[in-house]
Amino acid sequence: MDKLKYDLVIIGGGPAGLTAGIYASRSRLDTLLIEKITPGGQALVTDWIENYPGFPGGISGPDLVMNMVDQAKKFDLKIESAEVQSVDFSGPLKKIFLDGDRILETKAVIIASGASPRKLGVPGEDRFYGKGISFCGTCDGPFFRNKDVIAIGGGDTAVQESIFLTKFVNKVYLVHRRDKLRAAKILQERAFANDKIDFIWDSVVTSFNGGLMSLEGATVKNLKTGESSEVKIDGAFIWIGILPNTSFIGNAVDIDEYGFIRVNDKMETSVPGVFAAGDVRDTPLRQIATAVGDSAIAAMSAEHYIENFEHE
Ligand code: NAP
């Protein structure tokens, strides 16, 4: 990374960042995409994707990402591995501070750093991720047709997604650490009326268990009695919250009460010239399809901003 001044810097190399990169470099903006390790984001660790249009037989997450990277490189997008430490958006040229004391200057920024599901931090959780454990019902529910699954959490996501899962699965065991759900009352009523959902109250999952390749069960501990039991399941869905990847942002742009970046319908943040797209923004749906749509808009908005920037 010899050069330190750009038209546009994209922070994050998941589907949102790569799409912004394809659009911006195709528009001949001098664009640099910064990704912490390797492009891909959550898609890179997604075994199989069935709901991204254009692939009727489905496609693996890594293959989809590699296609996006190849497409971006075809238009000469520059991609660098670095970690963004902090940002300063106070001047007309935005500053991005990277590890190794490097500073980038850019006319515009697209933040596409994504979000990460909160994890339980129990044995087996990482090992069976993508081999039975999922954080996304919309993405992975259809893989568990007529199977038994466990779901963890008591908020809107856990309850709404558990109801969604009952379209496919035989049984959802919904494990919650208290004896009252946090979810909206209407969702609670629907879940209580659904005979495919069994509630396991006052309980936590202490480990996920199985063979070499697949999840077979979960150990569930009742916090009131201290007793543990084994639940035989084929899948597990963890819905205990989602955290935006925004630690480097500080107060530089407006965020909502959960830390997601507020944008308008042009993906403009509270700071002119700074845009956000994909899972990191306040959005009702976090999917690859929505991320790429956001980013097409963000790139167009950035292009317009840069044109005006040059005229002023
Ligand atoms: P959330 O509301 O923060 O709920 C997280 C749930 O996970 C809580 O029930 C919490 O238990 C539990 N939890 C947290 N850490 C845990 C741990 N380590 N072990 C076990 N359980 C744990 O998260 P969310 O459901 O993803 O919702 C996030 C926001 O999006 C909320 O504002 C929600 O209203 C909104 N949302 C809305 C809709 C809708 O309107 N239809 C749909 C989805 C999400 P406790 O209850 O004991 O704290």
Side-chain angles (χ1 to χ4, degrees), residues 10-267:
I10 299 165
I11 302 174
L18 289 168
T19 303
I22 290 167
Y23 274 73
S25 47
R26 194 165 173 269
S27 295
R28 295 288 171 236
L29 295 179
D30 183 15
T31 305
L32 175 69
L33 183 149
I34 297 287
E35 169 57 44
K36 203 173 357 180
I37 304 168
T38 180
Q42 284 193 76
L44 201 58
V45 287
T46 304
D47 193 34
W48 198 247
I49 297 163
E50 278 192 337
N51 59 355
Y52 189 70
F55 300 93
I59 183 166
S60 80
D63 283 349
L64 181 60
V65 164
M66 273 325 296
N67 287 349
M68 290 183 183
V69 171
D70 288 347
Q71 196 174 352
K73 287 192 171 163
K74 196 176 116 189
F75 298 114
D76 300 323
L77 175 70
K78 292 179 273 300
I79 300 178
E80 294 284 345
S81 295
E83 186 161 0
V84 175
Q85 305 289 342
S86 60
V87 292
D88 177 356
F89 296 155
S90 57
L93 278 178
K94 278 71 184 149
K95 290 196 174 103
I96 296 173
F97 299 87
L98 303 178
D99 48 359
D101 291 332
R102 290 167 300 165
I103 305 173
L104 302 177
E105 286 191 320
T106 177
K107 293 170 193 164
V109 180
I110 295 177
I111 303 167
S113 47
S116 309
R118 185 180 277 143
K119 289 182 170 184
L120 289 168
V122 300
E125 188 177 26
D126 289 338
R127 184 174 148 216
F128 293 111
Y129 177 61
K131 299 187 182 80
I133 294 183
S134 167
F135 296 91
C136 178
T138 312
C139 319
D140 297 328
F143 294 122
F144 294 94
R145 215 168 273 279
N146 301 322
K147 309 261 188 194
D148 292 344
V149 301
I150 203 165
I152 300 116
D156 283 335
T157 304
V159 176
Q160 184 168 294
E161 294 280 286
S162 292
I163 295 167
F164 173 76
L165 285 182
T166 62
K167 290 184 183 179
F168 314 100
V169 304
N170 176 55
K171 180 69 74 186
V172 181
Y173 298 102
L174 182 49
V175 177
H176 183 38
R177 62 184 177 183
R178 295 187 291 132
D179 63 357
K180 278 192 186 64
L181 296 172
R182 179 182 291 279
K185 280 281 179 295
I186 186 147
L187 292 175
Q188 295 194 25
E189 284 164 16
R190 284 183 200 149
F192 291 146
N194 191 319
D195 59 11
K196 282 191 173 182
I197 301 178
D198 280 2
F199 289 86
I200 304 181
W201 299 109
D202 298 311
S203 298
V204 292
V205 169
T206 53
S207 72
F208 292 104
N209 317 312
L212 210 54
M213 287 308 288
S214 62
L215 180 68
E216 290 165 6
T219 307
V220 177
K221 182 179 175 186
N222 184 301
L223 295 171
K224 287 205 166 143
T225 64
E227 278 172 27
S228 288
S229 55
E230 274 301 295
V231 182
K232 256 179 71 62
I233 35 106
D234 302 287
F237 289 84
I238 302 169
W239 289 309
I240 59 168
I242 180 159
L243 306 170
N245 300 327
T246 48
S247 55
F248 57 89
I249 288 173
N251 298 323
V253 294
D254 265 5
I255 53 174
D256 70 9
E257 66 264 50
Y258 306 106
F260 293 97
I261 299 174
R262 290 189 207 274
V263 293
N264 61 16
D265 58 2
K266 292 180 181 158
M267 304 300 143

